[in-house]
Amino acid sequence: MTELRLAHDDTGGDCPALVLLHGFPHDRTLWAAQRDALAARWRVIVPDLRGFGTTPAIPPFTIDRFADDVAALLEGCGIARAVIGGLSMGGYVALALWRRHRDRVRALVLADTRAAADDEAARARRDALIALAERDGIDALIETQLTGSLGATTRSERPDVVERTRIMMRQAASIAGVVGALRAMRERPDATPVLATIGVPALCIVGDEDVITPEREMRAMANAIPGSELNVIPGAGHLSAVEQPVLVTTAMQRFLGSLAPPTT
Ligand code: MLT
């Protein structure tokens, strides 16, 4: 098994730890607004997952391995337990962290994600995206993802956010990284049975214009996690953290402020 250290931002300081995991095909800058806003009270660790941004695309690519990479990063940073937040693919990794390394998880923030595994149609879409990336290149894949990821409000009223997201995806994505991650997501296990086992505080977040992981699915996830809450973000699609950064940060601040002081 290839060991690699995830490239990451670490805001440092003697504060409780918060790890924020990006989605597909993104890098750590997805969470830049939350990192900057929360750094006064939290040690915010924001990695580039395996194959994205400046972390090399070295196999193996599985969601479990992504979770193991994050656990190894925590170990390397000397952090015993952290609040783990993840958006979309980052949420898949956060749920895998709970399954494989739950002693490291103090609380969860699950944004615009889902617990269910891919069905046959979703697997076929992964295969089509892999073929698109390999045939037409990374920009073709990025344009496809961009259209689906951003909400109607952002696409019609906020060209600056559309352009920033495009730039973020271009700096994040390589053919090897996206193909590896698409295969990892296609093969990920169903995390639905895991939800009832979550014994730490959990905040679920979803943009009300998210068409990839819609509100009804996130509501079902929140209902399945004991004691969790759902925060619906108006005027945001699948990338709620970049489309409505202030609203997402405020929801996270309120949730993080409600947590009991860390014991480790
Ligand atoms: C993401 O934003 O990470 C993707 O939509 C996840 C996926 O394709 O399942």
Side-chain angles (χ1 to χ4, degrees):
M1 191 90 61
T2 308
E3 289 302 330
L4 94 171
R5 187 161 163 84
L6 300 181
H8 63 281
D9 293 340
D10 179 352
T11 62
D14 189 20
C15 303
L18 167 67
V19 178
L20 298 174
L21 306 173
H22 63 77
F24 172 92
H26 316 145
D27 66 10
R28 68 185 108 158
T29 62
L30 177 95
W31 289 107
Q34 290 74 31
R35 177 201 62 204
D36 293 348
L38 297 169
R41 289 172 182 258
W42 291 82
R43 178 177 175 186
V44 190
I45 312 272
V46 201
D48 288 340
L49 294 172
R50 183 180 287 251
F52 292 91
T54 55
T55 297
I58 297 173
F61 287 95
T62 65
I63 294 297
D64 282 0
R65 184 65 199 172
F66 286 1
D68 295 350
D69 289 341
V70 176
L73 177 64
L74 286 173
E75 182 73 25
C77 291
I79 294 169
R81 285 181 94 213
V83 178
I84 307 289
L87 184 142
S88 197
M89 182 179 76
Y92 308 159
V93 178
L95 290 172
L97 263 160
W98 174 256
R99 190 162 39 78
R100 293 168 72 79
H101 304 281
R102 66 185 57 177
D103 52 328
R104 294 211 171 268
V105 181
R106 187 177 158 213
L108 286 166
V109 178
L110 299 165
D112 303 279
T113 190
R114 64 162 52 87
D118 279 9
D119 59 15
E120 278 312 307
R123 287 171 161 233
R125 284 195 297 276
R126 304 281 186 212
D127 292 338
L129 276 178
I130 290 170
L132 176 77
E134 289 180 335
R135 188 185 61 238
D136 296 339
I138 204 71
D139 281 350
L141 177 131
I142 286 171
E143 291 310 313
T144 305
Q145 287 299 120
L146 201 57
T147 308
S149 296
L150 297 171
T153 303
T154 302
R155 278 186 278 118
S156 66
E157 296 174 14
R158 309 211 34 216
D160 56 320
V161 175
V162 177
E163 193 47 30
R164 262 194 285 122
T165 305
R166 179 180 282 117
I167 290 167
M168 184 264 288
M169 288 182 174
R170 283 188 177 149
Q171 80 194 6
S174 64
I175 298 284
V178 301
V179 169
L182 284 164
R183 291 196 174 123
M185 291 191 284
R186 188 181 58 185
E187 302 307 324
R188 75 188 190 283
D190 182 11
T192 310
V194 171
L195 299 179
T197 73
I198 294 176
V200 293
L203 169 67
C204 297
I205 293 174
V206 66
D208 69 346
E209 298 175 8
D210 186 342
V211 293
I212 296 180
T213 50
E215 182 180 333
R216 66 167 190 291
E217 253 188 273
M218 287 300 298
R219 194 169 293 284
M221 176 185 277
N223 287 339
I225 301 174
S228 81
E229 54 175 297
L230 176 69
N231 199 306
V232 180
I233 305 293
H238 189 56
L239 302 189
S240 56
V242 290
E243 294 180 65
Q244 292 291 355
V246 175
L247 295 180
V248 169
T249 301
T250 303
M252 289 173 68
Q253 273 165 332
R254 200 180 41 73
F255 173 71
L256 295 169
S258 75
L259 298 178
T263 51
T264 50

